[in-house]
């Protein structure tokens, strides 16, 4: 439960004592204290994080298995590890799974060198390869029906940032999750409602997409 | 409260009971024909059977009362009919598989002529000197009915019949107690949630009662999406009022005024029956404002889900009711704190809620006397697959799998050997013969690697392919995954691809390790119960049936002779009858040819392995054989110039 703003408590992260704000997600806490935890789906300040990318695992003393740090909040006296073997095992598998459905063509990608997948792969010390999982790309390569931006299903990691930020800015989402299982994708709801803030001015989704799956035309 | 207002609900119920008695006595003197017309009965032709009875009664000018009831669980025997003809001197008699012809005959000979048609009798409904009673069959006498006690005995569309069978007495007992006392009783009974996880219902109700907030809510989870499971549907179709009564008891306990039944739109009969039951209960003052003259107000609405398996998960269910895409969210907060509309919400399974009335009426000690210490009460399974008496079975917790499958359900048909039982549907596990003495309760099944789940049980004989069964379940979960989180969305797809590859004979040795590791990561890394349990069928079968996986990968052999890519059909020339042509015409690809000795052979290149020839070959010859690996089939050359040669 979130306490008053200045409610600072002591916790231990990776063996070091630090004083942090109670009630804040551990992911945000660690990141702002210079401790990197891989993550894709979290947006700073979210009230109910989706916890869907399954990359931000940590271990907390007293809890038997790794938990996502974006939905685990700071409590006094917590002992947290961000780099245990169990954590790394899950993170590596999650990243490899994401890479197995990602069109790895960095050279021709607009976010080459700025891409979080590259950063996370480097951090986890694995190459940009999905092995032992085979590559499984979707048949549809591009959805270009929207007047202002394109959607590339084989780049998308389904982090949901675009849906969340569009909703936050416009009061309802103009893009949404669709499909089931492996076939899930981001659907652009066309035609656009007239009263909507013009997508042309907003662009929230395209600028928030970490992997250039939504791009301005 | 003074004595008089405390007694009010009981007095009001007595008035309804009086009306019920009157209504029922109207046809008490007529012979009675009872027909099960829940979905399972209808699928077997019960509606046609009913019209045949009606027609025959009018044709022979015989007066009888046709009593439509729900399902009594003996689905293998549907359409099942019970006839009581008091003047004949016989007790009420069950007849199985009563199709229109049999219906007509029974009217003419039994109702008209007093001859009960002995050769068609299934059994008498009570012990007597004339006809063996069904209570001598294990399928009847080993069952203990708590939840399904009135299923198949009363007309689900008639509130009065439920009332006459003691209905709504549990609610009255509850209303005579303070809510805390109701919760204490549920707690003492040890009732655990029947939706799969077995969470103690009393604790859940307690948390909802204690949660701050107003407008608390009770939701009955009837999403029931496991393939092969249909207990909840049957209960709603056969005795809806028991579920409504359970919900009202919960409402009184937690202080809710509003309830919902979340039922899939694919259950149209259940939706119709439950909707009607709600309005009947309201008319009689058993739901709505000032229930039975008290201060209790509770209203129930039916919410029709669109039939996604994942919407049975409680947080996804709430999302779906709120009008969003049914995707689970992280817990905590749990629905008891922040549920539908952000209000404290109890979500319970149909069977959990339907257990409450009996507990209130007969007391927690009675409930604890059924079942085991850790899992009191009964379990309801839909037992399907390779088993003689399939259907719904309600058994006390603690009896073993062997007793359930072999004693109660009659074992494996056609003298085949038992191979495995899959318990708990796509989230459950696949157990081999050596687990048959495992007692059925929440904890023992979990320990064995399976789980109670919501009660699906698939029995498999020696002809089943374990790898293909695992593939089937992963295919199901992959299709039903909401796609939100990485492990479940992508991981189950890779598992499916690997399993497909193995069943096609293209598996590699490393695949088993890969399946194991990936399965463990999906289990540990997924967000909701769907993903966390999806690998179970694969992980348990890898543990208990590794030799079947090995056979596929290393030898190209499917031990169940099931996987098409790994089998071949051939004709045993020693058995094939010269001049017989039966199999020739049935082959869709003209693969069957005549040999130089006027016997038959199969052209392996043309054969699509449909097995039609094997079915067609007369049992006396039994000449078509199936082998695996496929190369074991002897090569019989096609004579040059024979018809169909390419
Ligand atoms: C994928 C998935 C599907 C589920 N489906 C059902 C269902 O069809 N019916 C049900 O009662 N519970 C289902 N559950 C369990 C519910 O989330 C919840 O635990 C249950 O309704 C609680 O009721 P109980 O305490 O009476 O068991 C499902 C859970 C998961 C993870
Ligand atoms: S389009 Fe981009 S922001 Fe939206 S879900 Fe896909 S990767 Fe995330
Ligand atoms: S585990 Fe599967 S069903 Fe559950 S949230 Fe993740 S993707 Fe959706
Ligand atoms: S950042 Fe926590 S699961 Fe994605």
């Amino acid at each position: 439960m979130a306490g008053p703003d200045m409610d600072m408590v002591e916790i231990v992260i990776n063996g070091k004592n630090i004083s942090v704000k109670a009630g804040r997600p551990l992911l945000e806490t660690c990141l702002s204290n210079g401790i990197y935890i891989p993550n894709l789906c979290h947006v700073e300040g979210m009230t109910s994080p989706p916890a869907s990318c399954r990359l931000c695992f940590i271990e907390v003393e007293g809890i038997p298995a790794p938990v996502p740090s974006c939905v685990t909040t700071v409590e006094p006296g917590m002992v947290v590890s961000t780099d245990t073997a169990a954590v790394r095992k899950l993170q590596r598998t999650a990243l490899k799974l994401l890479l197995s459905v990602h069109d790895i063509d960095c050279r021709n990608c607009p976010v080459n060198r700025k891409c979080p997948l590259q950063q996370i792969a480097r951090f986890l010390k694995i190459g940009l390869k999905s092995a032992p999982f085979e590559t499984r790309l979707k048949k549809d390569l591009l959805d270009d029906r929207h007047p202002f931006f394109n959607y590339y299903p084989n780049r998308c990691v389904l982090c949901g940032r675009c849906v969340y930020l569009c909703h936050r800015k416009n009061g309802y989402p103009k893009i949404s999750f669709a499909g089931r299982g492996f076939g899930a994708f981001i659907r652009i709801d066309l035609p656009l409602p007239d009263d909507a803030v013009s997508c042309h001015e907003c662009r929230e989704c395209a600028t928030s997409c970490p992997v250039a799956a939504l791009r301005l035309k | 409260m003074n004595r008089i207002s405390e007694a009010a609900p009981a007095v009001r119920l007595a008035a309804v009971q009086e009306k019920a008695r009157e209504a029922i006595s109207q046809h008490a003197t007529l012979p009675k024909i009872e027909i099960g017309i829940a979905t399972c009965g209808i699928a077997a032709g019960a509606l046609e059977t009913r019209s045949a009875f009606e027609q025959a009664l009018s044709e022979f000018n015989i007066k009888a009362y046709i009593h439509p009831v729900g399902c009594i669980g003996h689905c293998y025997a549907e359409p099942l009919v019970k006839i009581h003809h008091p003047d004949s001197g016989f007790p009420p008699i069950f007849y199985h598989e009563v199709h229109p012809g049999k219906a007509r005959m029974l009217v003419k000979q039994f109702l008209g002529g007093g001859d009960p048609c002995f050769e068609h009798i299934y059994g008498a409904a009570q012990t007597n000197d004339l006809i063996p009673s069904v209570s001598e069959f294990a399928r009847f006498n080993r069952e203990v009915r708590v939840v399904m006690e009135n299923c198949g005995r009363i007309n689900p569309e008639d509130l009065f019949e439920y009332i006459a069978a003691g209905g709504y007495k549990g609610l009255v007992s509850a209303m005579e107690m303070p809510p805390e006392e109701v919760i204490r009783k549920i707690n003492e009974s040890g009732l655990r949630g029947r939706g799969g996880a077995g969470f103690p219902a009393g604790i859940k109700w307690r948390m909802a009662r204690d949660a701050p907030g107003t407008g608390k809510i009770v939701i009955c989870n009837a999403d029931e999406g496991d393939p092969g499971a249909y207990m909840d549907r049957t209960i709603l179709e056969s005795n809806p009022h028991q579920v409504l009564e359970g919900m009202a008891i919960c409402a009184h306990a937690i202080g809710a005024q509003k309830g919902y039944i979340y039922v899939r739109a694919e259950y149209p009969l259940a939706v119709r029956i439950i909707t009607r039951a709600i309005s009947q209960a309201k008319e009689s003052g058993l739901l709505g404002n000032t229930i039975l003259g008290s201060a209790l107000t509770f209203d129930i609405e039916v919410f029709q889900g669109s039939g996604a398996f994942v919407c049975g998960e409680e947080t996804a269910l709430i999302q779906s009711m709120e009008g969003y895409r049914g995707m689970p969210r992280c817990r905590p907060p749990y629905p008891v704190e922040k549920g539908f509309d952000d209000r404290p919400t109890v979500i319970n399974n149909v069977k959990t809620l339907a257990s409450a009335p009996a507990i209130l009426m007969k007391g927690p000690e009675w409930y604890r006397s059924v079942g085991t210490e850790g899992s009191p009460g009964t379990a309801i399974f839909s037992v399907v697959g390779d088993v003689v008496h399939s259907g719904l079975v309600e058994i006390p917790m603690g009896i073993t799998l062997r007793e359930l499958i072999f004693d109660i359900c009659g074992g494996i048909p056609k003298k085949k050997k038992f191979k495995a039982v899959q318990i708990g549907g796509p989230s459950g596990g696949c157990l081999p013969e050596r687990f048959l003495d495992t007692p059925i309760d929440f904890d023992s099944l979990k320990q064995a690697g399976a789980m109670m789940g919501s009660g699906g049980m698939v029995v498999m004989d020696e002809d089943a392919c374990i790898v293909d069964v695992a593939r089937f379940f992963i295919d199901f979960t992959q299709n039903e995954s909401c796609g939100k989180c990485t492990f479940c969305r992508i991981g189950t797809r890779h598992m499916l691809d690997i399993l497909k590859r193995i069943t096609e004979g293209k598996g590699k040795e490393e695949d088993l390790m890969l399946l194991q590791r990936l399965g463990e990561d999906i289990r540990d890394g997924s967000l909701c119960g769907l993903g966390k349990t999806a690998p179970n069928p694969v992980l348990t079968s890898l543990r208990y049936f590794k030799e079947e996986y090995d056979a596929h990968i290393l030898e190209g052999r499917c031990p169940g002779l099931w996987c098409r890519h790994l089998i071949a059909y051939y004709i045993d020339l020693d058995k094939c009858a010269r001049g017989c042509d039966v199999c020739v015409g049935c082959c869709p690809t003209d693969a069957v040819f005549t040999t130089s000795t006027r016997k038959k052979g199969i052209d392996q290149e043309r054969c699509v392995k449909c097995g039609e020839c094997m079915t067609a070959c007369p049992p006396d010859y039994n000449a078509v054989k199936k082998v695996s690996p496929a190369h074991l089939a002897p090569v019989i050359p096609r004579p040059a110039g024979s018809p169909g040669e390419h």
Side-chain angles (χ1 to χ4, degrees):
Chain A
M1 287 291 114
D5 264 1
M6 293 321 291
D7 202 0
M8 301 297 278
V9 296
E10 292 281 318
I11 63 169
V12 180
I13 303 180
N14 296 343
K16 276 197 222 117
N17 287 312
I18 35 178
S19 175
V20 296
K21 212 159 76 181
R24 195 177 181 206
L26 273 161
L27 175 63
E28 293 180 9
T29 304
C30 288
L31 293 178
S32 58
N33 280 285
I35 301 162
Y36 180 68
I37 299 175
N39 70 91
L40 280 174
C41 66
H42 190 73
V43 176
E44 173 96 29
M46 271 178 160
T47 47
S48 51
S52 61
C53 74
R54 315 308 283 177
L55 281 164
C56 69
F57 283 106
I58 54 168
E59 281 202 79
V60 179
E61 223 173 80
I63 303 178
V67 287
S69 57
C70 58
V71 286
T72 309
T73 46
V74 171
E75 281 169 36
M78 264 181 159
V79 180
V80 174
S81 309
T82 66
D83 59 356
T84 66
V87 162
R88 291 290 181 253
K89 178 168 179 274
L90 286 177
Q91 288 171 327
R92 290 195 177 111
T93 305
L95 184 69
K96 279 174 180 293
L97 289 173
L98 288 171
L99 290 174
S100 75
V101 298
H102 187 76
D103 182 13
I104 304 171
D105 182 19
C106 300
R107 215 177 316 174
N108 296 309
C109 179
V111 290
N112 189 11
R113 291 169 202 280
K114 292 176 294 225
C115 170
L117 294 176
Q118 293 174 328
Q119 182 191 1
I120 297 168
R122 210 176 311 122
F123 178 80
L124 294 175
K125 302 194 179 66
I126 53 176
L128 276 171
K129 293 211 174 64
S130 63
F133 309 123
E134 289 175 5
T135 304
R136 288 279 176 272
L137 296 182
K138 295 195 171 100
K139 276 194 228 86
D140 293 330
L141 302 180
L142 170 68
D143 177 357
D144 59 1
R145 297 168 307 135
H146 193 279
F148 306 124
F149 48 81
N150 288 332
Y151 174 63
Y152 300 87
N154 286 327
R155 282 186 189 157
C156 177
V157 291
L158 281 168
C159 66
R161 296 168 73 98
C162 52
V163 179
Y164 171 76
L165 290 165
C166 175
H167 191 165
R168 192 169 81 176
K169 183 137 180 183
N170 300 306
Y172 63 94
K174 292 188 269 180
I175 45 183
S176 57
F177 290 100
R180 281 199 199 166
F182 177 79
F185 64 102
I186 297 294
R187 182 176 58 206
I188 299 165
D189 297 325
L190 290 173
L192 297 169
D194 302 333
D195 66 324
V197 179
S198 153
C199 289
H200 189 54
E201 286 156 32
C202 171
R203 304 172 182 202
E204 192 79 14
C205 59
T207 35
S208 66
C209 179
V211 292
L214 276 171
R215 289 296 286 179
L216 286 176
K217 284 195 173 171
Chain B
M1 257 196 260
N2 59 34
R3 285 294 310 158
I4 295 171
S5 71
E6 258 173 50
V11 171
R12 301 252 179 153
L13 182 65
V16 188
Q17 283 166 338
E18 187 48 43
K19 270 200 230 163
R21 253 192 300 278
E22 225 169 87
I24 287 169
S25 67
Q26 280 177 6
H27 34 249
T29 50
L30 289 178
K32 190 156 90 173
I33 303 171
E34 216 163 77
I35 311 177
I37 42 176
T39 297
C40 44
I42 292 175
L47 293 180
E48 290 77 12
T49 302
R50 178 166 68 181
S51 345
F53 272 116
E54 284 163 352
Q55 224 173 350
L57 287 173
S58 81
E59 186 182 331
F60 300 114
N61 203 12
I62 294 173
K63 278 212 160 46
Y65 172 56
I66 296 190
H67 186 214
V69 294
C71 165
I72 69 166
H74 294 252
C75 308
Y76 59 93
E78 296 282 9
L80 188 63
V81 170
K82 183 166 92 182
I83 301 184
H84 191 196
H85 184 13
D87 293 347
S88 70
F90 288 104
I93 301 174
F94 279 112
Y95 296 90
H96 60 300
E97 294 172 46
V98 181
H99 294 291
K102 218 190 247 184
R104 202 180 135 81
M105 178 188 73
L106 286 169
V107 170
K108 189 172 166 197
Q109 304 193 5
F110 189 22
L111 296 182
D115 165 13
C117 307
F118 282 98
E119 65 280 23
H120 296 287
I121 287 181
Y122 187 59
Q126 33 187 266
T127 342
N128 65 95
D129 300 334
L130 302 167
I131 299 165
S133 154
V134 288
S135 62
E136 287 163 31
F137 307 159
R139 184 67 162 73
F140 284 77
N141 67 25
R142 299 288 299 274
E143 281 198 52
V144 170
R145 296 216 160 180
V146 172
V147 174
M148 289 180 56
E149 191 185 354
N150 286 310
C151 288
R153 298 208 176 138
I154 60 172
N155 180 350
E157 303 202 51
D158 188 350
L159 166 66
F160 287 154
E161 295 202 11
Y162 180 59
I163 296 276
Y168 286 98
K169 279 195 200 159
L171 175 61
V172 168
S173 315
M175 287 166 69
E176 286 168 350
M177 300 170 202
E180 309 290 339
E181 178 77 6
V182 176
I183 294 177
R184 203 174 53 78
K185 288 224 180 308
I186 295 292
N187 230 340
E188 275 174 17
S189 75
L191 173 64
R192 294 173 70 171
R194 270 20 183 198
F199 189 80
I203 297 182
K204 193 181 271 187
W205 292 16
R206 158 100 278 140
M207 294 197 294
R209 168 136 206 110
D210 292 346
T214 54
K216 295 179 183 175
I217 289 176
V218 180
I219 296 176
C220 169
N221 187 345
D223 187 56
E224 193 172 51
D226 311 27
Y230 56 100
M231 300 72 54
D232 296 352
R233 182 192 73 201
T234 302
I235 294 165
L236 292 179
E237 285 176 358
S238 305
N239 190 4
H241 284 286
Q242 194 172 331
V243 180
L244 302 183
E245 186 183 355
M247 290 178 75
I249 292 171
C250 177
H252 173 57
I254 69 165
Q257 302 203 326
K258 182 89 202 164
Y260 296 90
I261 299 179
Y262 188 102
V263 54
R264 45 179 53 218
E266 283 107 324
Y267 283 180
L269 184 60
V271 169
R272 201 194 79 210
I273 289 184
I274 198 88
T275 308
R276 189 170 162 152
I278 293 172
S279 66
Q280 285 180 347
K282 274 194 196 160
E283 278 162 27
S284 294
L286 297 159
L287 281 182
N289 296 331
T290 62
I291 292 177
L292 291 172
S294 72
L296 178 62
T297 290
F298 182 58
D299 221 335
I300 300 178
E301 243 178 76
V302 174
F303 185 96
Q304 295 190 44
S306 58
F309 175 59
V310 71
C311 286
E313 197 280 338
E314 53 189 28
T315 61
L317 183 147
I318 290 170
Q319 294 268 314
S320 139
M321 282 180 58
E322 290 173 347
Y324 298 106
R325 179 178 157 89
M327 296 221 266
R329 64 157 174 75
C330 239
R331 297 174 306 177
Y334 287 90
V336 284
E337 308 153 44
K338 223 174 154 200
F340 180 54
D341 228 0
D342 286 348
R343 298 163 193 275
T345 304
V346 161
I347 301 183
N348 272 138
N349 176 257
V350 173
K351 296 171 290 271
T352 317
L353 291 162
S355 303
I359 294 173
L360 267 288
M361 208 157 57
K362 302 186 190 168
E365 305 74 32
W366 162 80
Y367 191 74
R368 276 203 167 278
S369 72
V370 183
T372 67
E373 179 65 30
S375 307
T378 55
I380 301 181
F381 284 104
S382 56
V383 185
V384 296
D386 302 318
V387 59
V388 176
H389 297 317
S390 60
L392 291 190
V393 195
E394 182 167 8
I395 41 134
M397 294 269 191
I399 74 162
T400 64
L401 286 167
R402 189 187 303 281
E403 288 171 280
L404 174 58
I405 297 169
F406 287 88
D407 301 346
I408 301 177
C409 292
I412 317 291
K414 299 184 206 146
K415 296 198 180 117
K416 297 237 162 130
K417 280 215 313 256
F418 170 90
K419 185 184 262 183
V421 55
Q422 167 82 22
I423 309 166
S427 322
C430 199
L431 301 181
E433 186 161 12
R434 66 175 193 275
F435 282 88
L436 279 178
D437 293 312
T438 308
I440 297 171
D441 63 63
F442 286 104
D443 311 309
S444 307
L445 288 181
K446 197 159 180 192
Q447 214 177 352
M451 66 187 267
M452 193 73 101
S454 56
M457 180 174 293
V458 187
V459 180
M460 287 168 262
D461 70 15
E462 54 191 300
D463 294 344
C465 171
I466 297 295
V467 184
D468 195 63
V469 169
R471 182 205 57 79
F472 169 83
F473 282 114
I474 285 285
D475 196 11
F476 176 83
T477 31
Q478 161 60 212
N479 273 317
E480 294 293 328
S481 156
C482 82
K484 180 172 178 175
C485 73
T486 305
F487 284 99
C488 174
R489 176 180 76 243
I490 310 172
T492 54
R493 167 63 194 261
H494 285 296
M495 288 186 86
L496 176 62
D497 287 347
I498 297 169
L499 288 164
K500 264 192 194 152
R501 178 155 94 205
I502 296 176
T503 57
E504 287 167 4
K506 297 179 205 141
K508 295 175 273 196
E509 272 187 81
E510 319 81 84
D511 282 348
L512 297 190
M513 187 51 87
L514 189 57
L515 274 179
Q516 176 80 29
R517 292 216 175 127
L518 177 57
E520 285 166 1
D521 287 346
I522 296 172
R523 179 190 67 198
D524 299 340
S526 291
L527 191 158
C528 86
L530 189 148
K532 284 183 200 298
T533 58
N536 267 354
V538 181
L539 293 175
T540 49
S541 58
L542 272 174
R543 172 142 45 116
Y544 300 132
F545 294 94
K546 176 149 185 300
E547 68 284 358
E548 295 229 350
Y549 285 87
D550 284 339
H552 283 75
I553 295 174
L554 303 177
E555 305 167 46
R557 177 173 64 89
C558 173
L561 301 181
W562 175 265
C563 294
R564 264 182 200 219
H565 290 85
L566 304 184
I567 58 164
Y569 290 87
Y570 72 91
I571 291 172
D572 183 344
L573 292 179
D574 292 338
K575 294 194 161 180
C576 181
R578 188 165 287 129
C580 169
D581 267 338
V582 174
C583 56
V584 178
C586 71
C587 176
T589 60
D590 289 330
V592 180
F593 60 84
T594 304
T595 65
S596 48
T597 54
R598 287 182 44 239
K599 294 193 171 186
K600 299 288 173 292
I602 293 175
D603 183 339
Q604 298 297 345
E605 272 171 38
R606 286 198 172 190
C607 172
V608 288
K609 302 175 188 177
C610 65
E612 288 293 327
C613 51
M614 194 167 190
T615 319
C617 183
D620 281 353
Y621 306 143
N622 193 17
V624 182
K625 302 287 172 204
K626 195 157 60 156
V627 280
S628 179
H631 65 78
L632 291 186
V635 182
I636 303 165
R638 189 171 201 138
S642 77
E645 198 205 11
H646 29 203

